[in-house]
Amino acid sequence: MKYSLIGDDVKLGKDVKIHSFTNLYGCQVGDKTTIGAFVEIQKDSIIGKRCKISSHTFICSGATIGNACFIGHGVMFINDNYPRSINEKGELEEEEDWSDRYVQTKIGNNVSIGSNATILGGVTVGEGAIIGAGAVVTKDVPPETIAVGNPAKIIKNRRKNK
C-alpha cells in the first residue's frame, strides 16, 4: 500500500487488497474486496465483501455498497444533491452547513456499475442491477434491471429472461 493513506478508524476485513494512491478514512471494507489506485472512500461508508472498486472512483460519506459488487473506473457517488461553496455568511461551507442536505446512497448485492457513472445522493440501486458506463443515476433503480443514459433510464428487466 505504498503511497496510500489508510486512517486508523478504517475497518478492513480479511484479505482486502488496496493499491497505491488511495485515501480511506472512517469507512468499513468487507473481506476479499479489492480497491484500485486513486480511490477515495470517505467516513460512514460501507463496502461489502468480495467487491471490486476500480481506479479513480470516489465513494462519499454515507454510501453503502453490498456484497459482490463491481464498481467501474471513475465512478462518482454524491451525498449532497444541492452543493454550495459558501454558507449564508459568505464563508466556505463546513460540514455543519450542509448536514441538512446530506443524503445516503444504497447499492444492493451483485450490482455492476460501469465506468464514469455518477450516482446521485439518496438513490437505491437494487440487487443484481447493472448501471451502464457514463450513466447518471438520478432515481432508484429496481433489482435485476439495466439502466443507461443521462438521466439513467431502465432499458431491460433481467427478471423477465429467467
Side-chain angles (χ1 to χ4, degrees), residues 80-109:
D80 180 352
N81 292 332
Y82 302 97
R84 306 285 302 170
S85 176
I86 59 173
N87 60 24
E88 292 176 2
K89 299 176 190 173
E91 301 165 340
L92 285 177
E93 277 199 342
E94 295 185 18
E95 191 169 341
E96 61 268 6
D97 293 315
W98 64 272
S99 61
D100 62 332
R101 299 188 313 256
Y102 174 83
V103 289
Q104 296 182 331
T105 301
K106 184 172 180 0
I107 308 299
N109 295 326

Side-chain angles (χ1 to χ4, degrees), residues 42-98:
Q42 295 185 327
K43 68 179 182 176
D44 302 323
S45 293
I46 300 170
I47 312 300
K49 298 176 182 179
R50 300 176 324 281
C51 292
K52 181 177 181 185
I53 311 297
S54 301
S55 69
H56 298 86
T57 289
F58 176 76
I59 301 173
C60 62
S61 296
T64 299
I65 297 174
N67 295 322
C69 290
F70 171 82
I71 309 298
H73 300 281
V75 173
M76 298 291 140
F77 287 81
I78 309 297
N79 62 7
D80 180 352
N81 292 332
Y82 302 97
R84 306 285 302 170
S85 176
I86 59 173
N87 60 24
E88 292 176 2
K89 299 176 190 173
E91 301 165 340
L92 285 177
E93 277 199 342
E94 295 185 18
E95 191 169 341
E96 61 268 6
D97 293 315
W98 64 272

